[in-house]
Amino acid sequence: MSYRTADSLPPVTLDDVRGAQKMLTGVARVTAMEGSRHLSQLVGAPVHFKCENLQRTGSFKLRGAYVRIAGLLPEERAAGVVAASAGNHAQGVALASSLLGVRSTVFMPKGAPLPKISATQDYGAEVRLHGQVVDETLAAAQEYAAETGAVFIHPFDHPDVIAGQGTVGLEILEQCPEARTIVVGIGGGGLAAGIATAVKSLRPDVRIVGVQAAGAAAYPPSLAAGRPVAVENPVTMADGIKVGRPGDVPFRIIGDLVDEVRTVTEDALATALLLCLERAKLVVEPAGASPVAALLSDPGAFDGPVVAVLSGGNVDPVLLQRVLRHGMAAQGRYLAVRLRLTDRPGALATLLGVLSVVDANVLDVSHVRTDPRLGLTEAEVELHLETKGPVHCVEVGQALREAGYTVIG
């Protein structure tokens, strides 16, 4: 079914979500629910991960895309579908279309990570690179739809998409019927709206907490204003929830059913991703780690048992490398220092010997001898060190000073 305006869209009901669940049988995986001992100790109550990062295509997006495309009329299917996405929605639409025998075209930004482009093509879509940001890509996809008659598949602003995402909520209640709080990341709002629709219909006592990146948090001002408000130039490493304006359909549902929307910092996102990798052995993208970031930032604010929805695991390896280093720095396990020493043979070896004694692992060394700021016999060294935590960082700095080095940063 196609809808022309947001105001004409029907509400999403529990029956819609249950119908979507039947439709997705044999298509989407019933993803695992894994306990987190570390977070359970921190929160003081059981904490479980709903692992949508292990879903087909690596995120929950397949659910909504399949339900939306499966609901098209025969003539709409014949015209094909088009979507715009930097990654997860692109892959969900591509696979759903292939499974349903529908031609798909996906517009992606020119800077989209190569693994995501390749995966989208492998799932059967024709990929067209356009624009530098998603807004430009979205405009190109909508123009293509107008020119060709292809049906535009919105990533979150449609009842069928929300119903599909809501099947995550039904699975949570089946797998963890004792849950008291569900924490879920919010971008446009499709996943949170779907989960809230399903869960609140069956268990109105369960608290639903949405999480946004602080640099891309459109929902708090929108909820305060009572209407979707755009945030200009959203900035966050969590591209899966980097949405400048809430969707009209999910906004209404979230305003009615989601109990709270929190924001988290970039440091918290990086730390959460690192925790998922180290403690849970799960590869999770920054957007998928946002519920974990919320738990780490304020563990006493959540009544347990808590279910944190890990919405996706499609992280670009280059970004993963940067985020892991950032996460280690946020935990005090990565230390960058600059210091000055006398420029003489063996001086650098002596410095490294001091670091060896305090068991600091040297990752990178930059040695500068020619700089107007330096004296004739001085050299400046910048060191990137792996440490064991904040206490060890202090010990490293103290050891350097005791050895006579001037630490300048």
Side-chain angles (χ1 to χ4, degrees):
M1 184 179 295
S2 297
Y3 304 101
R4 291 174 179 261
T5 66
D7 291 340
S8 69
L9 294 171
V12 182
T13 67
L14 176 62
D15 285 342
D16 294 329
V17 180
R18 284 176 165 160
Q21 188 177 46
K22 292 179 181 178
M23 189 180 296
L24 289 168
T25 300
V27 175
R29 294 172 182 154
V30 176
T31 51
M33 184 84 75
E34 299 287 345
S36 171
R37 184 174 61 86
H38 177 76
L39 282 177
S40 297
Q41 292 174 343
L42 190 66
V43 172
V47 175
H48 306 281
F49 292 149
K50 177 58 172 168
C51 300
E52 282 296 289
N53 59 311
L54 303 180
Q55 183 57 263
R56 295 177 73 179
T57 75
S59 88
F60 70 95
K61 289 288 191 178
L62 171 65
R63 297 173 183 262
Y66 187 91
V67 173
R68 173 74 173 102
I69 297 169
L72 295 178
L73 299 173
E75 58 270 25
E76 291 175 319
R77 289 197 190 193
V81 299
V82 61
S85 168
N88 288 347
H89 181 57
Q91 294 173 66
V93 168
L95 179 57
S97 299
S98 294
L99 293 173
L100 291 164
V102 176
R103 184 179 70 259
S104 63
T105 303
V106 176
F107 285 75
M108 303 181 75
K110 291 180 180 178
L114 290 177
K116 294 185 178 182
I117 295 173
S118 297
T120 303
Q121 292 171 328
D122 289 345
Y123 287 128
E126 176 190 348
V127 172
R128 299 191 180 192
L129 302 180
H130 184 93
Q132 300 299 325
V133 296
V134 174
D135 285 344
E136 295 174 353
T137 308
L138 179 63
Q142 292 173 325
E143 182 179 345
Y144 176 89
E147 292 174 351
T148 66
V151 179
F152 179 69
I153 306 299
H154 200 285
F156 49 81
D157 207 9
H158 193 281
D160 291 350
V161 173
I162 293 170
Q165 321 304 29
T167 59
V168 176
L170 293 181
E171 290 178 16
I172 288 173
L173 294 184
E174 292 164 1
Q175 294 169 311
C176 186
E178 69 277 14
R180 295 182 62 190
T181 305
I182 297 172
V183 190
V184 55
I186 296 181
L191 178 61
I195 289 175
T197 296
V199 172
K200 289 291 189 176
S201 297
L202 296 168
R203 288 278 309 280
D205 59 302
V206 174
R207 185 172 179 79
I208 309 292
V209 178
V211 183
Q212 292 206 287
Y219 265 89
S222 297
L223 292 170
R227 58 181 174 79
V229 174
V231 173
E232 294 186 6
N233 301 318
V235 178
T236 177
M237 70 176 76
D239 58 355
I241 53 175
K242 185 180 176 182
V243 177
R245 183 187 183 279
D248 292 326
V249 183
F251 176 77
R252 292 200 298 266
I253 297 170
I254 287 172
D256 290 340
L257 300 180
V258 171
D259 297 281
E260 180 185 7
V261 176
R262 290 174 165 253
T263 62
V264 293
T265 65
E266 298 298 286
D267 281 352
L269 287 168
T271 300
L273 188 151
L274 185 61
L275 181 143
C276 289
L277 188 63
E278 287 191 323
R279 295 300 186 96
K281 316 306 177 190
L282 292 169
V283 177
V284 182
E285 61 191 89
S290 59
V292 179
L295 292 172
L296 291 173
S297 299
D298 192 5
F302 302 89
D303 292 333
V306 179
V307 176
V309 182
L310 307 183
S311 57
N314 291 318
V315 57
D316 176 33
V318 176
L319 174 63
L320 179 62
Q321 184 180 36
R322 296 205 313 266
V323 171
L324 289 179
R325 182 164 288 192
H326 190 84
M328 290 176 68
Q331 287 190 335
R333 293 167 52 191
Y334 177 80
L335 178 65
V337 296
R338 287 187 302 124
L339 50 84
R340 289 182 183 173
L341 45 76
T342 302
D343 188 15
R344 64 173 185 270
L348 184 58
T350 302
L351 169 61
L352 298 178
V354 173
L355 295 171
S356 177
V357 170
V358 292
D359 203 21
N361 185 30
V362 179
L363 300 175
D364 189 40
V365 178
S366 176
H367 194 194
V368 178
R369 290 189 177 90
T370 57
D371 191 297
R373 298 177 293 108
L374 299 175
L376 186 62
T377 61
E378 287 183 323
E380 186 173 287
V381 176
E382 182 173 348
L383 299 159
H384 293 176
L385 309 172
E386 183 181 358
T387 68
K388 300 174 183 177
V391 174
H392 192 207
C393 287
V394 174
E395 294 173 352
V396 171
Q398 183 178 350
L400 290 171
R401 293 183 179 90
E402 290 178 352
Y405 294 103
T406 302
V407 180
I408 58 176

